[in-house]
Amino acid sequence: QEALDLIKYKYKHKSKYDIIFLDLIMPKKDGFEVLETFNTKYNKSKRGLNEFKEKKTLFIAVTADDHVCIKCTNAGFDAVMI
């Protein structure tokens, strides 16, 4: 939830992050849920050119499990860091 709050704050102030690292295992929402919420709520074009006509925000999944790489790619992460 904290990640979404920070993203919301940036968008509210007409700014953005260039890269966001998301741990796939977090207490309230996992990285998959945060990415899905971001794509739904803040950028309907799946982070292509955003509302500010800037380059997209890159989302990097952070995990210790190398078996989730395909799941991360299918979910829309730009890269996976193991």
Side-chain angles (χ1 to χ4, degrees):
Q1 185 61 47
E2 185 179 348
L4 285 173
D5 292 342
L6 292 170
I7 293 168
K8 181 179 177 182
Y9 177 83
K10 283 284 208 175
Y11 266 72
K12 184 179 177 182
H13 292 88
K14 304 286 186 216
S15 184
K16 71 175 191 70
Y17 293 103
D18 294 324
I19 300 174
I20 297 175
F21 292 89
L22 288 174
D23 192 334
L24 296 183
I25 301 173
M26 294 187 287
K28 294 183 181 178
K29 288 189 173 201
D30 65 27
F32 294 107
E33 292 171 309
V34 171
L35 180 64
E36 182 180 342
T37 301
F38 178 86
N39 285 336
T40 302
K41 204 169 192 178
Y42 298 106
N43 202 329
K44 294 184 172 88
S45 67
K46 295 284 185 183
R47 301 186 327 272
L49 286 178
N50 66 20
E51 65 192 82
F52 311 120
K53 304 294 186 239
E54 298 170 339
K55 289 171 38 175
K56 70 178 186 174
T57 298
L58 298 176
F59 280 81
I60 312 298
V62 179
T63 182
D65 183 0
D66 61 348
H67 294 96
V68 298
C69 290
I70 292 184
K71 184 177 178 183
C72 291
T73 302
N74 290 341
F77 281 97
D78 297 292
V80 180
M81 186 169 68
I82 301 172

